Amino acid sequence: MKQFKRVAWLFLLLIPLLIVAGCGKSSSNKTVKVGIMGSDEKIWKPIKTKLAKEGVNIKLVTFTDYNQPNAALTNHEIDINSFQHTFFMQAWNKAHKTNIVSIGKTVRAPLRLYSKKVKNVSAIKKGDQITIPNDSTNEGRALHLLQSAGLIKVDNKVELPTPKNITENKLKLKITPVDAAQTPRSLSDAAGAVVNNEFAAEAKLPNNECIFKEKLNKASIPYINIIAANKSDKNNKTYQKIVKAYQSESTKKLIKKYYHGLSVPAW
């Protein structure tokens, strides 16, 4: 009987240790779901492989349009995402009453005006069509780009202008908002299209079809791309480890290799 009691007491003493060990194992094996656009897989896959050797498991979740990754983040379908710039995140938070924050910088990806029909901006003719992304932040950004190119003028008092805020359009250009993912395809019909970097890379648009690009200066700082998380996860050490792995020399080389100057490191 005494022997039985000793075994029972020993078992009771071991229970807390077993629970702690079990919890520790569960935590270390947690998979972090990272939401990205499909064109960024070639940048993230080597990071995934590198971190797996350090005990951090990553699952890449790819999206096809800009409306999906932040909704998935808020709904905890993914843990962090990497697709947007600061301005887009701020506008999203305001419109959807969310608390998404930046936890690290990734790249600067200047907007570009592409054309398969003309070789320079001055060759754009009266009545030509130009397509632009239709999400609010990139639509406004695209209109500012067209203004910088001397094609239109917009009301500069409006932070995020739409085609309704165009104040001068001497060539009577048909400015057509379309889904950002469709802008490269629109080049078969339109005289020009303002295309975001990831979709330009995905469509393999050659640099010689870019007839105007956004300048990288102080005004473009809000358009630095970021890794984002819910505010409650801002100081998550595992997520910070992922940011550190992204912000490495090896990633810089991958960005240069695959994007050929379309994007440049921002850290």
Side-chain angles (χ1 to χ4, degrees), residues 2-237:
K2 288 182 178 179
Q3 184 68 21
F4 175 77
K5 287 183 177 179
R6 285 176 184 171
V7 173
W9 275 108
L10 180 61
F11 180 74
L12 288 172
L13 288 170
L14 285 172
I15 287 175
L17 295 175
L18 291 170
I19 291 172
V20 170
C23 289
K25 184 176 181 181
S26 174
S27 176
S28 63
N29 288 340
K30 181 183 183 299
T31 296
V32 179
K33 294 180 180 179
V34 182
I36 61 171
M37 301 306 287
S39 61
D40 287 335
E41 276 190 294
K42 50 189 170 285
I43 303 297
W44 276 94
K45 280 184 177 179
I47 296 170
K48 174 183 176 180
T49 302
K50 177 184 177 182
L51 286 172
K53 296 175 182 177
E54 299 175 17
V56 178
N57 299 318
I58 286 180
K59 179 180 180 181
L60 298 176
V61 181
T62 58
F63 295 96
T64 57
D65 75 62
Y66 293 144
N67 291 316
Q68 299 171 329
N70 279 339
L73 182 60
T74 303
N75 293 331
H76 300 284
E77 295 166 8
I78 58 175
D79 301 298
I80 58 178
N81 65 39
S82 176
F83 80 101
Q84 65 193 321
H85 48 66
T86 306
F87 205 170
F88 185 99
M89 179 191 71
Q90 291 171 342
W92 181 276
N93 281 335
K94 185 176 180 180
H96 297 87
K97 296 179 173 57
T98 50
N99 282 302
I100 298 171
V101 298
S102 169
I103 59 172
K105 298 175 183 177
T106 56
V107 297
R108 283 192 182 196
L111 272 185
R112 287 170 165 80
L113 173 62
Y114 289 89
S115 178
K116 292 181 180 293
K117 300 184 185 301
V118 299
K119 297 296 183 183
N120 51 63
V121 172
S122 61
I124 291 176
K125 304 185 298 296
K126 187 174 182 179
D128 277 346
Q129 181 186 36
I130 296 178
T131 59
I132 61 175
N134 67 357
D135 62 278
S136 61
T137 53
N138 285 309
E139 181 180 60
R141 185 183 177 191
L143 290 172
H144 282 300
L145 177 73
L146 296 179
Q147 179 172 252
S148 297
L151 293 171
I152 61 170
K153 288 184 180 180
V154 298
D155 185 350
N156 289 322
K157 294 178 182 178
V158 180
E159 187 177 43
L160 292 174
T162 70
K164 292 180 180 179
N165 302 118
I166 295 173
T167 58
E168 187 177 295
N169 184 0
K170 291 182 178 179
L171 291 176
K172 300 188 184 304
L173 299 172
K174 299 171 185 175
I175 311 297
T176 310
V178 299
D179 185 274
Q182 301 303 315
T183 50
R185 296 181 188 178
S186 71
L187 285 167
S188 59
D189 298 313
V194 179
V195 186
N196 290 84
N197 169 65
E198 54 265 38
F199 297 121
E202 200 171 273
K204 297 180 180 178
L205 295 179
N207 284 335
N208 63 3
E209 289 183 5
C210 170
I211 59 174
F212 193 81
K213 74 174 182 177
E214 193 175 49
K215 293 179 180 178
L216 293 178
N217 52 29
K218 188 176 180 180
S220 66
I221 289 176
Y223 300 115
I224 289 176
N225 284 24
I226 57 173
I227 296 173
N230 289 307
K231 190 175 181 179
S232 58
D233 294 324
K234 183 178 182 179
N235 298 315
N236 184 294
K237 291 182 179 179

